[in-house]
Amino acid sequence: MPRAKPLLSFWQIWNMCFGFLGLQFGFALQNANVSWIFQSLGAGLEQVPLLWIAAPLSGFVVQPLIGYCSDRTWTRLGRRRPYFLAGALLAATALVLMPRSPVLWVAAASLWLLDGAINVSMEPFRAFVGDQLSPGQRPAGYAMQSFFIGVGAVVGNMLPWLLARAGVSNHAGADGAGIPDTVRYAFEIGAGVLLGAILWTILRTREYPPEELLEFEDANPTGAAAAVDPRRERRRGLAWALSALVAIALIRLYALDRQLYLVCGGALLWGAAQWLHGRGVRAGAFATFMGDLATMPETMRRLAPVQFFSWLAFFAMWIYTTAAVAQVHFGSTDPHSDAFNNGALWVGVLFAAYNGFAALAAAVIPFMVRRLGLRLSHLVNVWLGAAALLSFLLIRDPHWLLLSMVGMGFAWASVLSLPYALLSDSLPAQKMGLYMGVFNFFIVIPQLVAATVLGFLLRTVFGGAPIHALVLGGASFLVAGLLVLRVPQPDDTADAREVRAPVG
């Protein structure tokens, strides 16, 4: 007879999620400083989004693959933990190498390694919570992850600024490479924090063997998946492929930005995959992946556009805030000037602030959910994020941007927790890793769009002013808030039970 999973203590959940502190520390250093590094090594502002393409492409491939493999892994180290360790070692190596890049292509290659390695560890961490916790405790686990995300990001984002305050040089070109010592030392410290935090989780936790996981009552959620319709798969595949080909022809005809070919290529490959699946490819990892994608839970399907527009806003912010603040608030577009570097340092403080506010928001959001429900709470929070990004256009004193970061903190905390609460209990235990990897698509695709389309819009629509990319991000948050109303809403008592901040 199926049995319930044992309830874990606060400190057991703490140990399980502690590795996220290190992952987010590295991720924060990447988000706040990679555009700065690229521009310091000679990249033009319109090239920066394309150089960021490593992040979405690696996530698009790595996370579903790692999820699929980890679902089928069992070693002396466990099921998910071998991937924690491998990703941590690679990510720590990349953090050391990136700020010491002598030329631009080396920095771009280091970003591929760093982002791919973070993805190797991050995807199993999401599945790890689903494996180890009962449905009633999973939201607390994701909330604990959000807490560590906030803490890691605060310190990671502020570290270059703190090092500068401690007397470390923040001047470009100290040894001819153009990257200040504040960034170099911050990345080296980040490598140690990332590796140490993940080793803590590996050494202080255990995992259920696959056969034991299947004995628990939450192993197979209720509700049978709909059968795949081969004819519909073929029709959708042809529609995607033909749309991509038409778009490619228009790009060539009107000599549009070549970066747009990347989006079209992705649509063409997706159409081909759907068509092949509809033609009867039924065996192997490809068939498993396509079949599970076609039969994903309805809640996940409706969360897809919500995630798309939410993460498009975040990527617009991460890519363009440094350039926008340096230009509008510090009066410089020269990445080698002290004014630009001071603006970049202040962006690190702003990013640290919104992550700090996110940690505080994690304690407030459960009370919002009890009063408003999951969907309306998420709408309010992402609209606060919209107001934050739109305010960059109006505020001229950079210190007042700290107030804007309150809204961004609520949006960040909400995006990291409430979609997972809405999705709770709908994933089967034997496919937890794969579906978590598939869910990541709805984060990766907007990142891919941001990395390819925003550069084109910056040059052709925004007149080279990066502040307008932040305005576009604000509009994306507004759309995400409206779309969340389409997601099935659990009953209010479930909301109060499932969404809660971790407490001691």
Side-chain angles (χ1 to χ4, degrees), residues 57-391:
L57 287 183
S58 61
F60 200 83
V61 174
V62 170
Q63 290 221 18
L65 179 62
I66 293 299
Y68 177 84
C69 292
S70 66
D71 282 342
R72 290 157 174 77
T73 295
W74 184 254
T75 69
R76 292 177 61 184
L77 201 56
R79 189 183 198 187
R80 316 292 183 187
R81 290 179 298 170
Y83 298 92
F84 298 171
L85 180 60
L89 292 171
L90 291 172
T93 301
L95 283 169
V96 172
L97 292 177
M98 179 177 287
R100 297 189 175 277
S101 302
V103 291
L104 183 59
W105 73 264
V106 175
S110 298
L111 178 60
W112 279 84
L113 177 60
L114 175 60
D115 205 271
I118 289 176
N119 277 302
V120 168
S121 291
M122 185 173 291
E123 193 286 329
F125 259 105
R126 292 293 191 189
F128 193 49
V129 169
D131 291 342
Q132 302 301 110
L133 296 180
S134 64
Q137 283 197 308
R138 284 174 188 165
Y142 291 123
M144 185 75 80
Q145 285 187 350
S146 298
F147 170 76
F148 282 122
I149 286 171
V151 173
V154 167
V155 182
N157 279 305
M158 289 194 68
L159 190 55
W161 181 81
L162 292 172
L163 290 173
R165 300 283 291 181
V168 177
S169 173
N170 190 50
H171 298 287
D175 63 355
I179 300 172
D181 287 341
T182 51
V183 177
R184 296 173 188 268
Y185 297 157
F187 272 60
E188 290 170 358
I189 294 170
V193 171
L194 186 149
L195 189 58
I198 290 180
L199 284 174
W200 178 275
T201 288
I202 291 172
L203 296 175
R204 303 287 293 182
T205 58
R206 57 98 179 97
E207 295 188 69
Y208 293 113
E211 60 274 9
E212 189 173 358
L213 273 178
L214 294 177
E215 295 175 358
F216 292 120
E217 60 187 10
D218 63 323
N220 295 292
T222 57
V228 176
D229 183 347
R231 293 180 61 186
R232 185 174 62 179
E233 284 286 280
R234 292 196 298 271
R235 287 196 302 269
R236 288 180 174 178
L238 286 173
W240 276 102
L242 289 174
S243 299
L245 291 172
V246 170
I248 289 171
L250 292 173
I251 293 169
R252 184 176 181 83
L253 179 64
Y254 292 102
L256 300 177
D257 197 311
R258 292 184 178 181
Q259 295 182 32
L260 300 175
Y261 283 126
L262 192 57
V263 176
C264 297
L268 185 60
L269 289 174
W270 170 243
Q274 277 198 306
W275 186 83
L276 285 173
H277 186 239
R279 288 287 296 174
V281 178
R282 294 288 180 264
F286 172 78
T288 300
F289 169 75
M290 292 300 297
D292 288 336
L293 193 60
T295 59
M296 73 173 68
E298 182 65 20
T299 297
M300 182 185 290
R301 193 178 301 277
R302 295 198 177 191
L303 277 169
V306 178
Q307 293 289 84
F308 176 88
F309 285 103
S310 298
W311 285 93
L312 181 62
F314 282 121
F315 292 128
M317 180 187 73
W318 290 330
I319 293 174
Y320 284 111
T321 298
T322 296
V325 169
Q327 182 183 74
V328 174
H329 301 88
F330 286 81
S332 176
T333 58
D334 178 8
H336 299 288
S337 69
D338 286 344
F340 189 98
N341 288 335
N342 289 334
L345 278 180
W346 186 245
V347 169
V349 175
L350 294 177
F351 282 10
Y354 88 72
N355 280 284
F357 290 130
L360 297 176
V364 176
I365 287 175
F367 298 101
M368 296 178 63
V369 170
R370 293 190 185 104
R371 294 293 301 271
L372 303 176
L374 284 167
R375 298 183 305 171
L376 285 179
S377 296
H378 196 54
L379 181 150
V380 169
N381 290 327
V382 295
W383 278 11
L384 287 173
L389 289 181
L390 293 173
S391 71

Side-chain angles (χ1 to χ4, degrees), residues 475-489:
S476 295
F477 270 141
L478 293 175
V479 174
L482 293 174
L483 289 175
V484 78
L485 299 177
R486 298 176 60 249
V487 179
Q489 167 82 317

